Amino acid sequence: MTTEFGRRVAQVAAWSCLSTGSALAQAPWPVDLVNPKPATDDVVLPMPCGGSMVFRRVNVPSANALDDRRVMLGNPEARFAYAENSRSDYVGGGFSDAKVKGQRYYLIGKYEVTALQFDAVSGTCPAVNPDGRLPKTGITWSEAAYFSGRYADWLAKNAAAKLPQEEGAPGFVRLPTEAEWEFAARGGVAVGETVFEQPAFAMPEGPQRYAWYAGTDSSNNELNGIGLLKPNPLGLYDVLGNAGEFVLDAFRLNKYSRLHGQAGGYIVKGGDYRTALADLRSAARTEYIPIDKNGERRDKATGLRLVVVPGALPSATRLQSVRSLWTGLADSGVSASQSLTDPVKEVEALAKATTDPALKARIEGVGNVIKANIQARNEQRDRSARSEIRVAAYLGRKILEDGLKIRAQEMYAKVAPDDKKIRATIDASKENLDATLNYMIETVKQIGLDYPTATTAAQGEILKREFEARSVPGYTPLVDLVMTRSQGARTGKPVSKPELLAELTSMEAKVLNK
């Protein structure tokens, strides 16, 4: 007992030392142990003992604090359906970007937490050596969560100014949710939806260059240091293979398009160095039962990766804003003069009119169902608006590309004026361009007639953030053009074909990066 008591006292004393600014005075760790593949947009946070941890932004284009993004997670493959069948989930970014309208984000660890980083927060500064570059494994879920709490505490006391802020409050580190982890592992908005829903992110140089999996051609069935391979589209290393990664959520089975109601153990994501290549996938979700007959379980191939997020309600200002946004979630868009036809208002009026508590509860329950249905409809409307704006922007780019092709064909025709085949090709190209222009005009008109101005404005900004995230240049002026023209169509202004073509031509250099 005396020995155990003494050990705990020593731990507390050591932690007290690390909780002070003196820890920052330690010599910085070698870069190859904490950030072997530096990038200009890395976010680096300090750690005790002269250490650091590197994070990457995960952008989630959003109109406001209550706007989130529906994503398809899971895997349709039958052999994993009991746990992973495809399902809708939602992800949101807690931090707002002050410089970019409609952009929100969270941070996720660029690498798996290493042994050196884990030990630096344990209470005693570790020896700095190459072995510290290995991911920290063999820990319990409770120890992973405790580590995130200790590191969050140290950051708040020693480096709060280095943390991203939201509404004046600093963010904090924790384990990621499964949706946060899988959204980032798949590539987030840096990839298109078709690519996002593939079993794993694209690996053009072969899987052995991106993931440590079972076999002599890859991991050789052993743990490997961080950052030795290539990253996923968000610049994250070892998200698949090497060490499995704990997330915050409890494990639940799948019940077709949703998760089952019973929560079991914890979830481990990503597979590890023992996982066969055929089983390596973003949707993989293994249940980690925290105890067995010997007590708390430890697995030699399971570790962790952290996220940095703010509170959902970091300030009184945000609370007031969220209350206002929440009230408007079920707004059906009717004017005040039509309020009696608004089912939500009708139900609220009925609930207020009755003095029977049981009846009141039933009416309010119906009201909640109606609100949820209206909210789902509004979200579907937003996604449809964004999709139609995207189509119109694509059509605008195609018109410009076809115009370039026609000019090239006409230059050739001047050299070979008797070539009837090239004249026929030019005529066909012009017909196609005119058809595309008509299609764009009809799409722009329909956007203006089908969607409120506020919807197209918000979804247009989100779409621009998506194009930027995927490094697809030239679409911002096209999206702006579509929004402006669709708003004109909404007010009854016709979309003139010559004017639209002239406006498109004027932005050719910007769109096609000439």
Side-chain angles (χ1 to χ4, degrees):
M1 264 183 94
T2 303
T3 302
E4 176 64 15
F5 176 76
R7 185 180 68 82
R8 291 183 178 275
V9 169
Q11 281 186 334
V12 171
W15 174 249
S16 297
C17 290
L18 287 177
S19 295
T20 68
S22 63
L24 288 171
Q26 299 286 332
W29 296 346
V31 174
D32 65 326
L33 297 186
V34 291
N35 194 12
K37 301 289 180 64
T40 54
D41 51 352
D42 287 341
V43 178
V44 183
L45 296 180
M47 295 192 78
C49 307
S52 59
M53 186 176 292
V54 187
F55 295 84
R56 301 284 296 172
R57 272 179 60 148
V58 182
N59 289 323
V60 188
S62 310
N64 55 56
L66 275 192
D67 189 20
D68 52 8
R69 187 179 188 86
R70 190 179 75 162
V71 293
M72 288 301 296
L73 302 182
N75 173 20
E77 196 171 346
R79 62 183 175 135
F80 304 119
Y82 64 91
E84 298 174 13
N85 196 50
S86 298
R87 69 187 189 282
S88 290
D89 209 328
Y90 293 83
V91 66
F95 296 112
S96 52
D97 190 325
K99 297 180 180 179
V100 183
K101 184 179 179 182
Q103 188 68 280
R104 301 182 74 83
Y105 67 95
Y106 61 94
L107 301 178
I108 191 166
K110 182 176 180 177
Y111 311 99
E112 292 161 332
V113 172
T114 66
L116 188 59
Q117 291 168 329
F118 192 91
D119 292 345
V121 178
S122 67
T124 303
C125 288
V128 179
N129 58 59
D131 287 344
R133 184 171 172 174
L134 291 171
K136 179 65 177 180
T137 59
I139 55 174
T140 68
W141 184 92
S142 299
E143 287 170 339
Y146 183 76
F147 165 80
S148 68
R150 292 300 85 210
Y151 184 29
D153 178 82
W154 186 90
L155 283 169
K157 292 175 179 175
N158 295 278
K162 295 183 180 295
L163 287 163
Q165 311 279 312
E166 183 66 15
E167 298 279 356
F172 56 90
V173 295
R174 60 161 167 76
L175 293 176
T177 65
E178 183 178 15
E180 289 168 341
W181 189 97
E182 191 168 330
F183 181 72
R186 289 176 178 272
V189 296
V191 300
E193 290 184 11
T194 302
V195 176
F196 181 91
E197 294 176 12
Q198 293 301 307
F201 63 87
M203 302 180 188
E205 297 183 32
Q208 70 276 11
R209 299 295 302 277
Y210 296 84
W212 296 112
Y213 50 87
T216 54
D217 65 326
S218 181
S219 71
N220 202 29
N221 299 320
E222 61 185 14
L223 197 63
N224 289 270
I226 62 167
L228 294 173
L229 300 179
K230 290 185 173 293
N232 85 339
L234 290 182
L236 306 178
Y237 290 80
D238 305 319
V239 283
L240 298 181
N242 209 28
E245 299 174 20
F246 283 122
V247 295
L248 195 61
D249 314 46
F251 180 88
R252 292 189 285 166
L253 293 170
N254 188 284
K255 194 171 181 181
Y256 287 97
S257 62
R258 67 174 177 85
L259 295 179
H260 188 266
Q262 181 209 342
Y266 298 107
I267 298 172
V268 175
K269 297 288 289 182
D272 56 56
Y273 63 83
R274 304 166 302 188
T275 304
L277 175 59
D279 292 336
L280 210 60
R281 60 199 185 279
S282 302
R285 50 196 313 270
T286 304
E287 182 178 22
Y288 190 93
I289 299 175
I291 62 168
D292 57 22
K293 63 181 181 180
N294 297 317
E296 282 195 294
R297 285 185 61 218
R298 300 175 186 277
D299 180 75
K300 65 179 182 179
T302 300
L304 73 155
R305 187 185 303 257
L306 297 179
V307 293
V308 182
V309 298
L313 298 172
S315 69
T317 303
R318 171 58 58 79
L319 173 60
Q320 186 58 40
S321 172
V322 167
R323 281 176 172 165
S324 177
L325 290 167
W326 193 92
T327 301
L329 283 179
D331 184 3
S332 61
V334 298
S335 65
S337 63
Q338 297 173 308
S339 61
L340 290 179
T341 64
D342 182 345
V344 173
K345 289 184 172 62
E346 289 280 8
V347 170
E348 289 175 348
L350 289 172
K352 289 178 181 178
T354 182
T355 57
D356 184 338
L359 181 58
K360 182 181 179 69
R362 292 182 65 184
I363 293 174
E364 289 175 342
V366 171
N368 288 335
V369 171
I370 293 173
K371 288 178 182 179
N373 288 338
I374 291 174
Q375 169 61 11
R377 180 207 65 188
N378 288 347
E379 289 180 351
Q380 184 179 31
R381 175 200 64 194
D382 291 347
R383 290 192 297 273
S384 297
R386 188 161 70 246
S387 178
E388 290 196 41
I389 296 170
R390 182 187 291 110
V391 168
Y394 283 150
L395 292 172
R397 186 180 182 94
K398 187 176 188 307
I399 289 167
L400 293 176
E401 291 172 343
D402 287 351
L404 279 178
K405 182 171 69 174
I406 290 170
R407 292 204 295 273
Q409 291 168 345
E410 288 177 333
M411 288 179 65
Y412 176 78
K414 289 179 181 179
V415 178
D418 297 328
D419 190 335
K420 295 182 180 180
K421 186 175 181 180
I422 189 62
R423 291 308 320 171
T425 300
I426 291 172
D427 291 341
S429 296
K430 287 183 175 179
E431 287 182 11
N432 289 336
L433 187 148
D434 190 65
T436 304
L437 190 57
N438 288 333
Y439 185 20
M440 182 178 179
I441 289 172
E442 289 302 317
T443 303
V444 168
K445 285 181 179 178
Q446 207 60 46
I447 291 169
L449 295 174
D450 286 350
Y451 306 105
T453 300
T455 297
T456 56
Q459 298 309 310
E461 290 297 330
I462 289 174
L463 185 59
K464 286 191 286 186
R465 301 295 84 79
E466 289 182 1
F467 282 130
E468 290 167 5
R470 294 168 191 166
S471 299
V472 181
Y475 277 98
T476 292
L478 289 171
V479 173
D480 289 336
L481 171 63
V482 171
M483 289 193 292
T484 300
R485 289 290 180 172
S486 65
Q487 289 165 13
R490 185 175 179 82
T491 61
K493 182 180 178 180
V495 181
S496 165
K497 185 186 295 187
E499 288 180 6
L500 181 59
L501 183 58
E503 195 167 358
L504 282 169
T505 303
S506 71
M507 60 178 65
E508 182 179 278
K510 288 183 179 179
V511 173
L512 301 182
N513 298 307
K514 293 174 61 180

